[in-house]
Amino acid sequence: MLASQLIALEIEPLRSTDTGDVALQRMEEHLIRHLPIVEDGELLGLISEEEILDNDQMIPLNGYLQTWKQIFIRDKEHILIVMEMMNVSHVTAMPVLDERNKYIGLITIEKLMHSFATESSLSDPGSILVMEMSRIDYSLTNISRVVESENGYILSSYITHQPDSEQIYVTIKVSLQEVQFLRASLERYGFEVKGTFTEGDYIDTLTERYESLMHFLSI
């Protein structure tokens, strides 16, 4: 999925003549803390809620010291690059420009996460396993062989690095609904399984919370 497919079309950019109060209202409406300022299709910058609160909210934005973030992403960038850029930049919304440097829209955190969850295997039925191992022992091929031996396959995987350590956590989502035999097989091959999460566990948790809520409301 590309950046151009992630744009939240309902969000209009700000103009430099808009007041800080208008900007804050629009941010509150869309649950974001950043908005682009655009004039004649040109991105002037990304202004933050914090910057507005540090100034007079009743004057136009062009009356502020223009310390707006000069960040954007191209419309042809992949969704993973968008996620990386937003994380590194610490923004809740990312302007999108075309190859002519014209502003074409805005990607919000909410839109990004919804699209990623919908289009990736996160929405597919299955279970999650978390393993701990050293970096040199990591082999997705070997893990996949064990999963396939239990008539399953890996839907997605990612690695979490331990700070100042050679240890990593490997998280995989597999197509299997029940993973007790898979866990046993992985451990038999030397993989240390730290935890498993199945849809049944999730449903049980939701049921427990629902029953607790109903009990609370009946008091």
Side-chain angles (χ1 to χ4, degrees), residues 16-34:
S16 61
T17 53
D18 287 329
T19 64
D21 185 58
V22 168
L24 289 176
Q25 289 180 31
R26 197 167 299 174
M27 288 179 183
E28 182 179 2
E29 177 185 355
H30 297 292
L31 303 177
I32 52 179
R33 298 195 306 275
H34 301 84

Side-chain angles (χ1 to χ4, degrees), residues 28-179:
E28 182 179 2
E29 177 185 355
H30 297 292
L31 303 177
I32 52 179
R33 298 195 306 275
H34 301 84
L35 273 173
I37 302 173
V38 177
E39 294 288 351
D40 298 322
E42 179 183 355
L43 176 67
L44 302 184
L46 194 70
I47 193 168
S48 69
E49 177 186 60
E50 181 181 10
E51 184 176 355
I52 296 170
L53 293 175
D54 286 341
N55 286 275
D56 184 347
Q57 298 164 31
M58 303 313 295
I59 67 172
L61 300 175
N62 55 21
Y64 294 3
L65 291 175
Q66 296 186 15
T67 57
W68 309 329
K69 287 180 178 287
Q70 300 298 317
I71 58 174
F72 61 87
I73 200 158
R74 297 291 182 186
D75 57 340
K76 298 295 193 299
E77 293 287 7
H78 190 269
I79 184 173
L80 294 181
I81 302 298
V82 179
M83 295 178 73
E84 180 183 4
M85 282 284 293
M86 293 186 75
N87 178 59
V88 171
S89 304
H90 303 292
V91 296
T92 58
M94 177 67 71
V96 182
L97 304 186
D98 64 16
E99 68 277 2
R100 298 175 298 166
N101 290 325
K102 292 298 183 180
Y103 175 83
I104 60 174
L106 187 71
I107 299 173
T108 66
I109 285 285
E110 180 182 11
K111 178 74 172 182
L112 178 64
M113 298 310 296
H114 175 75
S115 298
F116 182 73
T118 301
E119 296 297 325
S120 71
S121 60
L122 294 178
S123 59
D124 293 340
S127 302
I128 295 172
L129 297 94
V130 181
M131 293 166 284
E132 184 180 4
M133 65 189 70
S134 66
R135 296 173 191 265
I136 61 173
D137 291 334
Y138 171 69
S139 170
L140 187 59
T141 301
N142 291 340
I143 297 172
S144 182
R145 286 198 188 103
V146 179
V147 175
E148 291 171 3
S149 73
E150 295 295 334
N151 299 315
Y153 54 89
I154 297 176
L155 296 168
S156 62
S157 66
Y158 67 91
I159 299 173
T160 305
H161 299 274
Q162 292 275 54
D164 302 319
S165 172
E166 288 301 310
Q167 292 297 106
I168 60 173
Y169 286 108
V170 178
T171 301
I172 60 172
K173 182 170 184 180
V174 299
S175 59
L176 302 170
Q177 300 288 336
E178 300 293 336
V179 292

